[in-house]
Amino acid sequence: GYGQQQGYPPPAPQYGDAPAGYGPPQRVNSYGPPQHGGFQHGQAGGQYGSYDSSNPQGQSGYYGGPPPQDQRGYDPYPQQQPQYGQHPPQQPSYHDPNAPQHQQQGYPPQDPNRPYDPNAPEGERGLGGAIAGGLAGHFAGNRAGHGFLGTIAGAIAGSKLQDKYKEKPHKHHGSSHGGSHGGSQWGGSGWGGKWCRKVLELSTMEVFVRNLQQEATEKQVRQYFRPILAELGINVFHCQKPRNKGFAKITLLDHRSGQRFLDIHGQLVPGFQGFKTVKKKLHHMNRPLNCSLSNIAPDDYILKSLEREEAEKIVSKRSYAPTASVVSEKQPRRIFNFNMIYCGGMDYVGSDLAFIPHYGKARSGRLVFGRHFILVDFSTSVVASLAQQMEIPYSSIQSLIMGRSAAPLITFSLLFAPRVFERIAQPENDLVNGITQLGLAKSQKKQNVPERRRISALDSSHQTVVASCLCYRFHIYPTDIPSILALKRMPGYPDIVSWDMKMLQQAPFHMQMSDLNKGLNSIKFQKYPFELKFYLQKLAQNGYLAPHKVLQVMRGIRKTFLNADLSALADAVYKLFGQIPFPGAETEGSEISLLTLQDLLAKNYSKVIREKEYSKGISTEYEQIAMIYKATVTPVGIYLYGPEPEIKNRVLRKYSDYINFFLQVTFADEDGEPLRYERTTSLSSVYHERFKAVLEGNITIAGRPYEFLGFSHSSLRTQTCWFMAPFVWKGELRYARAVIKDLGDFSAIRSPAKCAARIGQAFSQAISSVKIPEHAFCLLPEVEKIDTNNVHRTFSDGVGTCSKAILRMIWAAYAESRTWKPTVCQIRYAGAKGMISLDDRLEGELLCLRPSMIKFEAVSDRIEICGAGFRPLNMFLNRQLIKILEDLGVPDESFLSLQDEAVEQLRITTENPINAGYYLQRNDIGKSARLSWLVRKLSYIGMSFSDDGFLRDTLELAVLIQLRKLKYKSRIFVERGMTVYGIMDETGILKENQIYCSVQNEKAALVLTGRVVITKSPALHPGDVQIVTAVDVPLNSPLRSVHNCVVFSSKGDRDLPSQLSGGDLDGDLYHVIYDDSLMPTKWSAPASYASAPPIDIGREVLRSDMTDFFIKFMENDQLGRLSTLHQTLADQKPGGVFDPDCILLAEMCSTAVDFSKTGIPAPGPRVLIEKSITMYGEDGQDGDEDDIDVIDEAPATRYYESPKILGQLYRAIDEHVFFEQIQRQSKSMRTLHRSSLAEQVWQYVRRETALMQYEHYLPFARDTRDALTRYEENMIDTMRENSSHPMHFVSEVEVFAGEILGKYGAPNKRQRETSTSMKEKHDRDVAYT
């Protein structure tokens, strides 16, 4: 509503708040990863990850995906695993679930685990086996209900059983797990290895249920069986009911309880006669059910998940013994009827809070309080085709006000607009047809179609208010008020305030907005700058203030600030965004009155005038920085943001005096995140109607119509593009078409994707540009060959050379070159792009490019520098690379040892000031404030930085974030590794499979020699990792003049870069590892994918073609989901990354990577997800489910403990133990001073300056005081601007450390990007202050 600050995702917890701030993650309901040692291997809601092209070694989200349902009869642990290059053993075919059971093929016995010591002889029992046998008996005794003595007896029996079992010959060996690294919190990974697994298999059961209604959902079946199984003491089970099938499978851990179920409800003889013999007959949807023992062994991954769930329940019961009153208390109702809906805002009548309706309709429906959001369901509508829904996430609720019995109205004040749906089945989309070649969909059977589609509003009237009016009110029944108020006791639910609000009528919202727009474009307001008008429109459009109140502010501006500095006035209005409170029960009406707003504006103006010298500074102080205005387009509205600092590109550099005529536009969901794929929802209307209309039309801001201009390759993946408004430049009117025409000649390009990519070169951010003489340009021939497979290979693809004179020009323009002199640079020049390297044989001023670098014809005299090899970048392992190396024979101990070293380095950081200072310096934390120097200096004068809470918290926060990246992303630092640009050997001295790698940094110079591992991210195919020989070259070789890069040979049958994830030399970064512990013992041939030619439309590309491609890319970019699915299958399949399905997925990922250039999307994994590995049900799983099917929340994630190396790495880190340890260490570093660190420093300064004449330092002291004031105001702005929740700013510690701490796990992509921009802004503020 008015005052609601719009467009933010859920709140980020504040640093220092123990329950929700940084520190060990707190387990709340089903949110987040397992708290103790578990390895998440499921994906909620079909959201299968998001590939981060800007951070190729990072993986967002948690590892893995849902374990398989294995309806093909696939055995994840066959007796004989195929070797690479051989065909896997024949798998049983997909069975007919409705056929008699004797016709269905069973699973072979599964044996996924090895003993703890793989080198021990088979007859040697060892401690691990004895414990495992005891644990199996322990759980068997518990299930049997024999109490403590029974448990002890069961443990002894289990141990004896293990002794007996070990005497039998065994053929199966799995991966070793269960040591100190892989042990779980419940007694070891997988509960102790294969002995425990064999005992557990004897106690599991799968029940096959026939004759269900095909239309019945999995949720309905699960809810039906839950109380029936609970009567038999079965509270943990897994239900699988395929969509549109008449059968289901129920997996149980307890065989004896399952047998009791079959004794009561089971049917031994098929047909109606057999049903008569059932003791207690079951009926579902008026159909008799046939329940029998399945002759298919339960899926191993489902069993692991159930075991984990049961263990969690046991731990939970032991740690919490509820009182009798709690046990007997009923769960509150969560479904309530309403008969009227309003949408509007909140304001005040004097001091009384009032609701302002701008939309109202008598519509009946239900409010369903689900796990993560409130569902507003209109499905009771008489007209079935208009059945609609709205989702209101709890994270979006600012306040929830419940009227008293006299006014049974419930009002939601939101931070961002709800998601709106229409429940109409849509035709199949392209995703349904993907991956059929995997053999998982054997026929052309009709696949599932979406059950609902995303829409922008409930109707045309709602469309006019839905974006900016963020208060919703529902008329409920008086008898429901106590039940709704009882919900506030439920964990995770918003607080509910009882408050009666008046209803206040105002002019319709769209008329208010129309009046505001007229006012902004009126002659009276013509003299005011665009910046001020932008902020005023943003106040109304983003829902901070009602439009009529913004008009009142404008009138006050005209009267009060007659001769004001207009730039300072705009900055004063900008400060209001952090000062306007939310209307609500906790806010006084006087706080947002017109008088208060005018007073705030006057005070802000005075402050800005005092600091005017600084406030005008960022873009003028840093020539490469521009302040960019931004907009976000969502399914319901358009929201304004900025201006924010961005590095200039070629277009912005050319039109630097017209920056505010350019607008950066992002397409996103209401919470600011990218639109998420959902199995049951079609987004077609959002993409092809809502987003397409914006791209084809314009965005009007303060009377300026901004139209689509273009996008860069990197912005395409973030769903961001550029718009521009017409302006007069050198006497000519500049439209978007004219700006594009000036960039170069694109008329010969017939592919929309390729044309967009070429135009996008001009939108690539360039740190600096250098003017070169016209005679400097020359053309080099390509180094090309035809390989043995008759494939054309270009060894010099994307790389050229330059003389030292050209490099000196670059060094002079590049600020960082004052310290480091790079010899390789990534450039843009006219229509060319790629790498240039120093060739000291060239004389004079020469820039030598190759035809493969020139993408289109253009004229320019400036080289734009996008990157340079100043120093080698750190090398970090990621989960994809770790999995490949594991399957290539690298032992688990190598990864575990590296992770242990990384954790130890983090631990010792807090041991003493020297370590702390080094850590801060290495990670560029507080670099502009010289924090590492301060920590060491304090130690030198006998003080400890740990005496100051802020400095201590900064270090602990930085350490904790790095620990989370280790645990949740396996981002493991490799000291003997580096990440560098790649170039080609121009001398021809290197032989095939040889590289030259010379590095220089602040430590020393190094030339690698010997066998090394080389790869590139993202790596998915086992052949993406190769072993090559690093060599030195003669002292007189020209290669001696280049450093901080890897030089590839120009000889051989195939160029090496193309073997590494399809790389080239136009700026790709390569990872070089010279750590012997990570050297593979196996080798795989590199992948060789046929290059798909770009789509040719047979004519010149138009603007509409490029916007169509932009929409197509947003809708069909599958790289993140395919990559995550690859990780899942690689963990579960015996062959790992060598499995044929993984090989095919790697090829599909390659297609997805090239999608932005070819226009050819990779097929989506929808079929594979639904047919093979989905572990959740169709309608979600919730331990506390609703009794209706209208709620369609993301399914609950199941977990299992993976025995593979990624599972071991995950479980090896305990955040709680680590965090407690570093806090103890931090306390031990504190001194015994009673005074604060600031007081200690002040006493030191007074002592050291006792005899110093200080009068001439007074001006400096005053400047320092003013600088401190500016720092504090800039800090508050930064905390507000980078917050994900307008009521909970980012903490000062997070800003200072340069990292935003999420509630759980490693930061997601958006948090990483926000952290980067936040750190850059803070560093600029501190440096300039």
Side-chain angles (χ1 to χ4, degrees):
Y2 310 136
Q4 309 307 306
Q5 302 184 16
Q6 162 66 30
Y8 294 92
Q14 297 304 296
Y15 182 83
D17 183 1
Y22 88 92
Q26 304 298 314
R27 189 79 184 276
V28 182
N29 292 342
S30 60
Y31 293 87
Q35 185 173 359
H36 294 293
F39 180 55
Q40 177 183 6
H41 216 342
Q43 289 296 116
Q47 182 67 15
Y48 284 83
S50 176
Y51 174 70
D52 182 2
S53 59
S54 66
N55 183 18
Q57 292 198 59
Q59 295 298 320
S60 63
Y62 307 124
Y63 169 65
Q69 294 183 12
D70 254 322
Q71 295 173 353
R72 295 176 295 166
Y74 179 79
D75 177 12
Y77 294 95
Q79 295 184 9
Q80 294 181 350
Q81 298 186 8
Q83 299 298 317
Y84 179 65
Q86 299 179 350
H87 293 287
Q90 184 66 31
Q91 304 297 335
S93 61
Y94 183 89
H95 63 276
D96 179 5
N98 295 309
Q101 287 196 12
H102 65 271
Q103 295 178 4
Q104 300 175 11
Q105 299 184 18
Y107 282 44
Q110 301 180 15
D111 187 8
N113 303 297
R114 289 180 182 168
Y116 170 64
D117 182 4
N119 300 316
E122 193 64 33
E124 184 179 332
R125 174 177 178 179
L127 178 62
I131 294 176
L135 280 172
H138 161 76
F139 281 100
N142 265 348
R143 290 202 190 97
H146 297 309
F148 178 76
L149 293 178
T151 299
I152 297 297
I156 296 173
S159 180
K160 294 296 185 182
L161 177 59
Q162 188 273 329
D163 282 335
K164 183 72 175 175
Y165 183 77
K166 77 176 183 63
E167 298 173 0
K168 300 180 180 181
H170 307 293
K171 299 180 180 179
H172 306 291
H173 296 277
S175 62
S176 171
H177 68 286
S180 60
H181 295 289
S184 78
Q185 296 296 321
W186 297 290
S189 174
W191 290 353
K194 72 176 185 179
W195 312 118
C196 181
R197 167 67 59 199
K198 279 297 178 184
V199 174
L200 288 174
E201 282 184 357
L202 298 176
S203 64
T204 60
M205 174 184 285
E206 186 163 273
V207 176
F208 200 82
V209 183
R210 293 182 176 83
N211 204 39
L212 286 162
Q213 286 279 7
Q214 291 190 4
E215 294 78 12
T217 65
E218 181 175 287
K219 182 176 182 178
Q220 291 171 335
V221 175
R222 185 169 58 252
Q223 288 174 331
Y224 174 78
F225 278 101
R226 187 181 298 278
I228 297 172
L229 294 173
E231 290 180 1
L232 301 174
I234 303 173
N235 296 309
V236 176
F237 66 96
H238 180 70
C239 176
Q240 293 174 280
K241 198 277 178 185
R243 187 173 297 188
N244 298 324
K245 299 292 183 182
F247 69 93
K249 294 188 292 184
I250 298 176
T251 306
L252 308 172
L253 278 177
D254 190 343
H255 183 276
R256 282 171 293 187
S257 296
Q259 188 59 53
R260 289 200 302 272
F261 170 84
L262 290 178
D263 291 342
I264 300 172
H265 305 290
Q267 181 174 339
L268 301 178
V269 181
F272 181 72
Q273 294 299 323
F275 184 72
K276 289 182 178 181
T277 64
V278 177
K279 294 180 180 179
K280 189 173 181 180
K281 300 174 177 59
L282 298 177
H283 291 78
H284 184 257
M285 293 185 174
N286 297 322
R287 293 175 68 100
L289 300 186
N290 179 336
C291 302
S292 58
L293 176 64
S294 173
N295 58 7
I296 297 178
D299 181 87
D300 185 70
Y301 294 100
I302 292 177
L303 291 179
K304 287 183 179 180
S305 177
L306 293 176
E307 291 162 9
R308 181 180 186 85
E309 186 176 343
E310 174 135 323
E312 285 180 333
K313 286 183 180 293
I314 293 172
V315 172
S316 177
K317 289 179 181 178
R318 290 174 179 171
S319 61
Y320 173 64
T323 62
S325 60
V326 174
V327 173
S328 61
E329 183 179 357
K330 279 189 174 182
Q331 292 290 329
R333 282 176 53 206
R334 295 191 291 163
I335 305 169
F336 308 94
N337 293 329
F338 65 87
N339 55 28
M340 188 79 187
I341 177 176
Y342 300 94
C343 176
M346 284 194 287
D347 208 339
Y348 292 86
V349 180
S351 60
D352 295 331
L353 184 65
F355 178 79
I356 315 323
H358 290 298
Y359 169 85
K361 207 160 230 186
R363 293 192 64 178
S364 297
R366 290 176 285 187
L367 295 176
V368 183
F369 287 75
R371 281 183 293 140
H372 306 305
F373 55 76
I374 296 171
L375 183 79
V376 183
D377 179 52
F378 300 97
S379 60
T380 56
S381 172
V382 176
V383 184
S385 62
L386 295 180
Q388 294 173 326
Q389 293 179 335
M390 289 197 312
E391 289 179 359
I392 302 176
Y394 294 134
S395 60
S396 73
I397 298 177
Q398 165 60 26
S399 65
L400 200 164
I401 300 175
M402 183 69 242
R404 299 185 177 95
S405 57
L409 295 163
I410 183 169
T411 306
F412 302 92
S413 177
L414 308 181
L415 302 173
F416 50 84
R419 305 200 307 165
V420 189
F421 304 89
E422 200 167 69
R423 292 182 67 87
I424 299 177
Q426 297 295 306
E428 297 181 78
N429 57 30
D430 293 340
L431 299 182
V432 177
N433 303 315
I435 315 185
T436 53
Q437 61 266 48
L438 289 179
L440 302 174
K442 293 197 169 185
S443 64
Q444 299 297 323
K445 294 181 181 178
K446 182 179 179 181
Q447 301 295 331
N448 300 310
V449 297
E451 298 174 353
R452 62 182 186 175
R453 67 186 179 101
R454 187 81 176 269
I455 56 178
S456 298
L458 298 173
D459 52 43
S460 58
S461 298
H462 189 228
Q463 184 74 66
T464 64
V465 302
V466 62
S468 302
C469 296
L470 301 176
C471 289
Y472 283 84
R473 172 174 270 199
F474 300 90
H475 193 291
I476 59 173
Y477 295 95
T479 54
D480 287 339
I481 293 178
S483 297
I484 292 179
L485 292 175
L487 289 174
K488 63 184 179 182
R489 298 196 300 268
M490 299 291 288
Y493 280 41
D495 193 20
I496 303 174
V497 178
S498 295
W499 197 277
D500 283 336
M501 285 192 298
K502 299 178 180 178
M503 190 90 81
L504 178 65
Q505 296 293 334
Q506 290 182 354
F509 183 82
H510 69 278
M511 292 181 62
Q512 291 188 35
M513 282 300 297
S514 177
D515 292 342
L516 175 61
N517 289 327
K518 290 176 183 177
L520 291 172
N521 298 318
S522 66
I523 297 176
K524 295 179 180 179
F525 224 71
Q526 190 173 6
K527 71 172 185 177
Y528 293 95
F530 171 80
E531 185 178 12
L532 175 60
K533 297 178 182 179
F534 179 90
Y535 294 147
L536 291 170
Q537 181 170 333
K538 176 181 174 181
L539 281 172
Q541 193 160 317
N542 287 26
Y544 286 86
L545 293 174
H548 77 88
K549 188 164 286 190
V550 178
L551 271 171
Q552 293 174 339
V553 172
M554 289 172 58
R555 295 188 188 107
I557 287 174
R558 291 203 310 270
K559 292 179 181 179
T560 307
F561 300 94
L562 293 175
N563 300 311
D565 182 320
L566 297 182
S567 176
L569 180 58
D571 290 342
V573 174
Y574 175 77
K575 290 181 179 294
L576 289 178
F577 293 105
Q579 297 170 330
I580 298 175
F582 286 83
E586 70 284 354
T587 304
E588 294 292 335
S590 59
E591 295 182 55
I592 56 175
S593 67
L594 181 61
L595 187 63
T596 301
L597 293 173
Q598 291 173 340
D599 185 56
L600 283 172
L601 196 55
K603 291 179 179 178
N604 291 344
Y605 180 77
S606 299
K607 284 184 179 180
V608 172
I609 290 297
R610 289 199 304 268
E611 60 185 33
K612 183 180 177 183
E613 180 181 355
Y614 175 72
S615 62
K616 67 180 182 182
I618 292 296
S619 58
T620 54
E621 173 70 11
Y622 299 93
E623 184 182 353
Q624 73 275 20
I625 299 294
M627 299 301 293
I628 302 300
Y629 293 88
K630 299 183 177 183
T632 296
V633 180
T634 74
V636 306
I638 299 175
Y639 306 98
L640 307 180
Y641 299 99
E644 298 174 7
E646 295 275 350
I647 297 175
K648 290 180 180 178
N649 54 47
R650 185 182 305 179
V651 176
L652 297 180
R653 191 172 286 107
K654 182 175 182 178
Y655 302 107
S656 57
D657 293 334
Y658 301 86
I659 293 297
N660 60 24
F661 286 85
F662 294 89
L663 182 71
Q664 193 177 86
V665 180
T666 300
F667 293 80
D669 209 339
E670 305 307 328
D671 59 0
E673 296 291 338
L675 279 173
R676 292 172 288 271
Y677 163 79
E678 296 178 13
R679 296 171 297 120
T680 59
T681 303
S682 168
L683 299 174
S684 179
S685 62
V686 173
Y687 287 123
H688 297 284
E689 296 174 19
R690 167 67 181 157
F691 288 175
K692 181 64 174 175
V694 174
L695 289 166
E696 289 292 329
N698 57 61
I699 298 174
T700 302
I701 303 175
R704 285 186 186 175
Y706 289 82
E707 62 177 345
F708 175 80
L709 179 63
F711 49 85
S712 68
H713 181 261
S714 59
S715 71
L716 179 62
R717 293 204 175 275
T718 59
Q719 302 182 1
T720 299
C721 59
W722 287 94
F723 278 47
M724 69 162 286
F727 58 89
V728 178
W729 184 72
K730 295 184 178 180
E732 295 181 359
L733 187 61
R734 287 281 160 175
Y735 289 95
R737 188 182 299 111
V739 171
I740 295 298
K741 186 176 180 181
D742 284 352
L743 294 177
D745 183 8
F746 306 98
S747 59
I749 303 175
R750 296 291 186 261
S751 167
K754 191 173 182 180
C755 183
R758 300 300 173 243
I759 295 174
Q761 290 179 210
F763 296 100
S764 298
Q765 294 181 342
I767 300 173
S768 64
S769 66
V770 181
K771 187 174 182 179
I772 65 170
E774 185 177 349
H775 67 266
F777 172 74
C778 66
L779 204 60
L780 290 176
E782 297 283 6
V783 178
E784 302 172 301
K785 294 182 182 179
I786 304 296
D787 68 10
T788 54
N789 296 319
N790 203 32
V791 177
H792 180 268
R793 304 291 183 184
T794 302
F795 285 67
S796 56
D797 188 9
V799 64
T801 62
C802 68
S803 64
K804 195 161 190 176
I806 294 292
L807 268 187
R808 288 196 183 100
M809 296 179 186
I810 295 175
W811 294 340
Y814 222 141
E816 201 170 348
S817 296
R818 297 167 190 168
T819 304
W820 306 100
K821 308 296 183 184
T823 57
V824 293
C825 298
Q826 186 182 20
I827 67 162
R828 301 288 187 268
Y829 173 72
K833 64 184 287 280
M835 294 292 299
I836 57 172
S837 63
L838 172 63
D839 187 343
D840 60 7
R841 297 172 298 182
L842 300 177
E843 298 181 355
E845 299 170 336
L846 286 176
L847 175 66
C848 303
L849 307 181
R850 286 190 165 90
S852 60
M853 302 175 68
I854 301 174
K855 307 302 181 181
F856 60 91
E857 294 297 325
V859 177
S860 177
D861 61 352
R862 303 190 74 87
I863 299 177
E864 296 168 318
I865 312 301
C866 300
F870 288 100
R871 62 181 67 83
L873 302 178
N874 288 334
M875 163 65 192
F876 293 91
L877 297 176
N878 58 45
R879 296 192 155 180
Q880 294 168 333
L881 182 55
I882 289 173
K883 182 57 187 169
I884 292 176
L885 291 174
E886 177 191 30
D887 292 341
L888 289 177
V890 175
D892 294 352
E893 290 73 18
S894 298
F895 304 108
L896 293 166
S897 176
L898 284 176
Q899 180 170 276
D900 287 345
E901 291 176 10
V903 172
E904 178 63 15
Q905 286 297 318
L906 291 176
R907 188 191 62 77
I908 66 174
T909 294
T910 58
E911 280 188 347
N912 58 67
I914 303 301
N915 291 343
Y918 174 72
Y919 177 81
L920 295 170
Q921 180 180 2
R922 186 181 66 184
N923 291 277
D924 288 337
I925 298 172
K927 181 179 179 181
S928 56
R930 302 181 65 192
L931 181 59
S932 62
W933 171 87
L934 176 62
V935 168
R936 294 189 183 106
K937 183 65 176 178
L938 289 172
S939 175
Y940 178 75
I941 61 177
M943 303 178 194
S944 174
F945 76 95
S946 291
D947 288 345
D948 182 79
F950 178 79
L951 295 178
R952 184 174 65 249
D953 290 347
T954 299
L955 181 64
E956 291 176 0
L957 172 67
V959 168
L960 180 63
I961 288 175
Q962 293 302 319
L963 183 78
R964 286 188 169 186
K965 290 178 181 179
L966 271 175
K967 180 176 180 68
Y968 298 104
K969 296 172 61 181
S970 297
R971 191 172 183 266
I972 304 174
F973 174 65
V974 180
E975 185 173 6
R976 296 178 62 80
M978 66 186 74
T979 302
V980 290
Y981 287 114
I983 62 172
M984 188 192 72
D985 174 20
E986 303 284 347
T987 68
I989 192 172
L990 297 179
K991 300 178 182 178
E992 184 177 9
N993 289 328
Q994 285 186 345
I995 64 167
Y996 172 72
C997 189
S998 171
V999 295
Q1000 293 181 7
N1001 54 28
E1002 59 271 15
K1003 296 179 181 178
L1006 171 69
V1007 176
L1008 296 185
T1009 57
R1011 298 174 74 226
V1012 299
V1013 177
I1014 189 164
T1015 185
K1016 186 178 82 72
S1017 292
L1020 296 169
H1021 190 280
D1024 291 340
V1025 175
Q1026 294 292 317
I1027 301 174
V1028 295
T1029 303
V1031 299
D1032 200 353
V1033 295
L1035 294 177
N1036 61 351
S1037 171
L1039 294 185
R1040 282 278 180 172
S1041 63
V1042 296
H1043 52 262
N1044 295 336
C1045 63
V1046 55
V1047 183
F1048 294 100
S1049 171
S1050 59
K1051 298 179 180 179
D1053 187 56
R1054 178 182 175 183
D1055 59 304
L1056 183 57
S1058 70
Q1059 302 177 43
L1060 309 175
S1061 303
D1064 53 34
L1065 300 177
D1066 67 353
D1068 287 357
L1069 292 169
Y1070 295 88
H1071 311 308
V1072 182
I1073 304 173
Y1074 51 100
D1075 188 330
D1076 291 339
S1077 68
L1078 296 176
M1079 191 66 61
T1081 59
K1082 301 177 184 177
W1083 175 83
S1084 172
S1088 182
Y1089 307 131
S1091 299
I1095 294 176
D1096 190 335
I1097 61 175
R1099 56 171 172 80
E1100 187 175 347
V1101 176
L1102 305 177
R1103 189 185 81 160
S1104 60
D1105 297 318
M1106 288 192 290
T1107 57
D1108 284 341
F1109 171 68
F1110 190 83
I1111 293 291
K1112 181 180 179 181
F1113 188 88
M1114 283 195 292
E1115 189 176 22
N1116 295 282
D1117 183 19
Q1118 304 294 331
L1119 182 56
R1121 292 171 58 213
L1122 289 170
S1123 299
T1124 303
L1125 186 55
H1126 179 276
Q1127 290 182 355
T1128 302
L1129 292 181
D1131 186 80
Q1132 296 176 359
K1133 296 297 184 74
V1137 294
F1138 290 99
D1139 185 89
D1141 285 354
C1142 291
I1143 296 295
L1144 181 56
L1145 279 169
E1147 182 175 1
M1148 293 167 65
C1149 286
S1150 177
T1151 303
V1153 168
D1154 293 336
F1155 179 22
S1156 59
K1157 302 174 184 176
T1158 64
I1160 301 174
R1166 181 175 184 130
V1167 173
L1168 180 59
I1169 292 170
E1170 293 189 350
K1171 292 296 184 182
S1172 175
I1173 67 166
T1174 306
M1175 199 164 181
Y1176 48 75
E1178 297 170 15
D1179 300 281
Q1181 297 181 23
D1182 191 349
D1184 186 19
E1185 299 181 66
D1186 303 306
D1187 58 357
I1188 62 172
D1189 293 315
V1190 297
I1191 195 157
D1192 194 15
E1193 296 201 42
T1197 304
R1198 284 195 179 277
Y1199 305 94
Y1200 71 88
E1201 293 185 358
S1202 170
K1204 306 295 179 62
I1205 182 58
L1206 290 174
Q1208 296 180 48
L1209 290 170
Y1210 179 90
R1211 294 189 296 272
I1213 296 177
D1214 190 319
E1215 289 179 88
H1216 299 267
V1217 172
F1218 180 89
F1219 186 68
E1220 291 169 358
Q1221 187 177 24
I1222 64 171
Q1223 285 194 319
R1224 286 196 301 269
Q1225 291 176 179
S1226 182
K1227 289 179 182 178
S1228 67
M1229 291 173 59
R1230 301 179 198 178
T1231 63
L1232 299 178
H1233 287 280
R1234 294 183 178 180
S1235 57
S1236 67
L1237 180 61
E1239 292 172 340
Q1240 296 176 45
V1241 172
W1242 176 237
Q1243 293 170 7
Y1244 171 81
V1245 171
R1246 293 185 62 182
R1247 185 171 63 251
E1248 294 295 317
T1249 60
L1251 302 178
M1252 184 179 294
Q1253 297 296 320
Y1254 62 85
E1255 285 80 2
H1256 59 288
Y1257 286 107
L1258 288 176
F1260 173 76
R1262 294 190 187 97
D1263 290 343
T1264 301
R1265 183 179 59 191
D1266 292 341
L1268 178 61
T1269 301
R1270 292 197 299 268
Y1271 169 84
E1272 291 175 346
E1273 293 182 350
N1274 291 326
M1275 173 63 73
I1276 293 172
D1277 286 342
T1278 304
M1279 291 162 61
R1280 185 191 75 248
E1281 292 169 0
N1282 295 280
S1283 172
S1284 61
H1285 191 294
M1287 291 298 288
H1288 303 291
F1289 292 174
V1290 172
S1291 69
E1292 184 179 1
V1293 173
E1294 289 174 298
V1295 175
F1296 204 78
E1299 292 275 6
I1300 296 176
L1301 182 70
K1303 189 170 184 179
Y1304 299 109
N1308 59 30
K1309 182 180 179 182
R1310 189 182 182 201
Q1311 287 174 329
R1312 291 195 303 270
E1313 292 173 349
T1314 302
S1315 295
T1316 300
S1317 61
M1318 179 183 71
K1319 179 177 172 58
E1320 291 172 352
K1321 180 183 183 303
H1322 178 66
D1323 286 345
R1324 286 194 300 267
D1325 290 345
V1326 173
Y1328 195 77
T1329 302

